[in-house]
Amino acid sequence: MINKTINRLLAICFIVALWSAPAIAQDIWNLEKCINHALQNNLDLQQGRLSIEQANISKKTALHGRYPSLNGSTNLALNFGRTIDPTNNEFITQSFFSNGFSLSSGVILYNAGRISNTIKQSEIDQESVSYSVKQSERDIALFVANSYLNVLFAEENLKNAVAQQSLNTKQYNQVESLINAGVRPANELLDLEAQLARGDQAIIAQENAVIISFLNLKQLLLLESDYQMILDRPSDVEILSNTDLITLDEIYTSALSNQPSIRAAELEMRSAEIGEKIAKAALYPSIGASGNIGTNYSNRALRFTPTGLEETPYLDQLDENISYGVGLGVNFPIYNNYQVKAGMERAKFSTMSSVINVEREKNKLKTDVQQALADAQAASKSYRAAKKSRDAQSAAYNNATKQYDLGAINSFDYVNSRALLDNAEISLIIAKYDYLFKAKVVDFYMGRPISLK
């Protein structure tokens, strides 16, 4: 029995040593480092940032719609049989080689504001995507904070289990000494042995909880499961919001102004409204201007010289055959197989859908805020009740210890008092971290940074 007790003590000392040993060749991560790492490596955020770049390309494309287009072309041709010589516009029946160059340009002068509205829409779309990515960043920060607190919670539970088992072992040794001295009956060790066994089981369970909570955090941070990391444990975490005093209207008003998802939905609605104007522009005429310049060469082009006819040189032909012109065109939409009307109706329904989406986002936010505030206030009450329960149970246990030392109660009652205190300690830890996270959720909706400082 003595050897068994010594082994337990050695095991507990080993665990405590691991707990308190300084980090060697291991990174210490605080919450800010975890959040920054997640924001840099999260695949959904990377995809969202690509969407911002795509929106930027669309914006540049819309802006360049104001500018004239410019296109050049050239051709080489070998013709056989009866055809038109491009240099003199006459029919010939001889084979010949020709070469031509041309430049053309066009610009939209008027299209009922389609270009201007497309530019506005693209700017709004880019801003909307940016706000959506910001919302994702805030959500991920909250997820990381929750996972981070889960690790701290599991570690504190393990620390508590180790401390309890150390006390259990000390009590066991004291009773064993009394039994050996003939002061206590031998059967009093049975309850204490059962308590030690439960303590060993609790330590194993909490060790597993630490491993699982670390694994969840590493998966969220896209770290390998065998990566060694230690979390910075703040001595005291500040809760910025007094959840017992804050009102629903106060938190909801704040959330409406700082939650990017609401701003993104409102921008999508504005974009849809401009989309209606773009679709309606197809009903009106559009005016465009164009210009072109070109020249040709043919090896059959001849000219008179003092010595007779000879082929006109290449460069001379390119200079002599230059042609150019400008034009102004007006396009009148008359009937387009219902496409314009359908486009207008689709744009209208898109606006209606975006208006509904804004209201849905606001309603969802209000529901989330109501739940978050109710949860935080309930958790605050539970935390205060758990502290009172722990204090009361601690006093009861101290009294039971004195009675047990005096022989006024048996070992079963003593062990039961200790179990009640252990349960109260665990309940307090659970209530503490539950309140801490739910208070941080309230801070989140109030627009405050997610931090454990």
Side-chain angles (χ1 to χ4, degrees):
M1 185 61 66
I2 294 177
N3 290 335
K4 187 175 181 180
T5 302
I6 293 174
N7 290 335
R8 283 199 181 97
L9 283 171
L10 290 174
I12 292 172
C13 290
F14 177 71
I15 293 173
V16 172
L18 287 178
W19 182 275
S20 59
I24 300 175
Q26 291 179 319
D27 289 334
I28 297 179
W29 293 64
N30 57 23
L31 179 58
E32 287 70 22
K33 182 176 179 179
C34 289
I35 290 176
N36 290 335
H37 183 88
L39 295 182
Q40 291 173 3
N41 296 278
N42 184 270
L43 298 180
D44 291 336
L45 285 181
Q46 292 181 19
Q47 190 71 43
R49 292 176 186 125
L50 289 178
S51 297
I52 295 177
E53 294 301 320
Q54 291 174 342
N56 187 44
I57 293 173
S58 298
K59 176 182 173 181
K60 290 180 180 179
T61 303
L63 286 170
H64 281 268
R66 294 185 182 277
Y67 308 142
S69 63
L70 180 64
N71 296 284
S73 66
T74 184
N75 65 79
L76 296 171
L78 184 62
N79 297 276
F80 303 93
R82 183 177 175 81
T83 188
I84 296 177
D85 187 333
T87 60
N88 55 27
N89 206 32
E90 295 180 354
F91 281 100
I92 61 175
T93 57
Q94 296 173 314
S95 61
F96 68 93
F97 170 79
S98 65
N99 179 209
F101 299 92
S102 67
L103 284 175
S104 62
S105 178
V107 63
I108 299 295
L109 300 179
Y110 172 78
N111 63 354
R114 177 180 293 184
I115 293 177
S116 297
N117 285 323
T118 300
I119 292 172
K120 291 178 183 178
Q121 187 182 53
S122 64
E123 291 173 342
I124 291 173
D125 289 343
Q126 184 186 33
E127 190 177 3
S128 175
V129 173
S130 298
Y131 275 105
S132 295
V133 173
K134 288 179 181 178
Q135 184 65 52
S136 297
E137 291 175 346
R138 289 173 60 84
D139 292 340
I140 288 173
L142 192 62
F143 295 153
V144 171
N146 184 27
S147 185
Y148 189 97
L149 287 173
N150 283 339
V151 175
L152 297 186
F153 168 66
E155 288 182 337
E156 190 160 335
N157 267 339
L158 175 58
K159 185 177 181 180
N160 184 62
V162 169
Q164 290 175 357
Q165 187 67 337
S166 177
L167 183 58
N168 293 340
T169 302
K170 181 179 179 180
Q171 293 168 347
Y172 181 91
N173 293 336
Q174 290 175 344
V175 173
E176 187 177 42
S177 299
L178 294 174
I179 292 173
N180 292 335
V183 178
R184 293 291 181 90
N187 61 0
E188 288 200 6
L189 279 180
L190 298 177
D191 291 330
L192 295 176
E193 286 179 353
Q195 182 173 267
L196 284 172
R198 289 193 298 271
D200 289 337
Q201 184 180 9
I203 289 175
I204 293 173
Q206 295 308 321
E207 287 174 339
N208 290 335
V210 170
I211 293 172
I212 296 300
S213 58
F214 258 119
L215 179 61
N216 291 335
L217 178 60
K218 291 174 186 177
Q219 290 173 342
L220 189 58
L221 300 181
L222 297 180
L223 297 174
E224 296 296 332
S225 59
D226 59 350
Y227 177 79
Q228 297 297 313
M229 66 185 302
I230 293 178
L231 300 189
D232 178 45
R233 178 179 292 275
S235 57
D236 188 25
V237 179
E238 181 183 7
I239 297 176
L240 301 177
S241 300
N242 189 336
T243 57
D244 294 330
L245 299 179
I246 194 171
T247 64
L248 176 60
D249 288 340
E250 181 182 357
I251 185 174
Y252 179 59
T253 301
S254 178
L256 278 177
S257 63
N258 67 62
Q259 290 299 300
S261 59
I262 300 299
R263 182 60 177 158
E266 292 173 341
L267 288 170
E268 288 174 2
M269 182 180 68
R270 286 181 54 195
S271 176
E273 292 171 346
I274 295 177
E276 286 192 71
K277 296 180 180 180
I278 294 173
K280 189 176 180 180
L283 290 174
Y284 300 94
S286 61
I287 303 174
S290 62
N292 64 80
I293 183 172
T295 187
N296 288 287
Y297 162 81
S298 171
N299 65 343
R300 290 297 180 182
L302 302 176
R303 68 178 178 178
F304 289 98
T305 65
T307 59
L309 290 174
E310 64 178 22
E311 180 183 342
T312 305
Y314 181 84
L315 293 179
D316 289 350
Q317 286 194 49
L318 295 182
D319 179 54
E320 295 170 358
N321 294 330
I322 290 177
S323 64
Y324 48 85
V326 294
L328 188 67
V330 181
N331 180 43
F332 297 93
I334 298 175
Y335 176 70
N336 292 281
N337 304 97
Y338 191 68
Q339 293 183 13
V340 174
K341 186 67 174 178
M344 293 173 60
E345 290 179 353
R346 282 193 293 266
K348 182 179 179 181
F349 286 128
S350 178
T351 300
M352 294 170 61
S353 177
S354 65
V355 171
I356 293 173
N357 185 56
V358 170
E359 292 305 312
R360 182 172 60 243
E361 287 293 329
K362 289 182 178 179
N363 289 337
K364 180 180 180 298
L365 179 62
K366 190 169 188 178
T367 300
D368 292 342
V369 164
Q370 287 175 332
Q371 189 65 52
L373 184 58
D375 288 345
Q377 290 174 343
S380 176
K381 294 176 182 178
S382 297
Y383 179 52
R384 291 196 298 268
K387 287 178 68 175
K388 291 181 180 178
S389 177
R390 190 278 311 272
D391 294 342
Q393 199 58 54
S394 178
Y397 172 71
N398 291 335
N399 182 58
T401 301
K402 295 176 182 178
Q403 289 182 321
Y404 182 72
D405 291 340
L406 296 173
I409 61 173
N410 56 35
S411 60
F412 175 81
D413 292 333
Y414 175 72
V415 170
N416 183 60
S417 178
R418 177 63 198 180
L420 292 174
L421 177 58
D422 292 345
N423 291 335
E425 291 282 1
I426 295 173
S427 296
L428 178 59
I429 294 173
I430 294 173
K432 170 187 173 183
Y433 280 92
D434 184 55
Y435 174 53
L436 178 58
F437 176 70
K438 289 174 178 175
K440 287 299 175 183
V441 174
V442 172
D443 288 340
F444 169 80
Y445 285 117
M446 294 293 289
R448 292 164 178 154
I450 303 298
S451 175
L452 295 182
K453 293 182 179 179

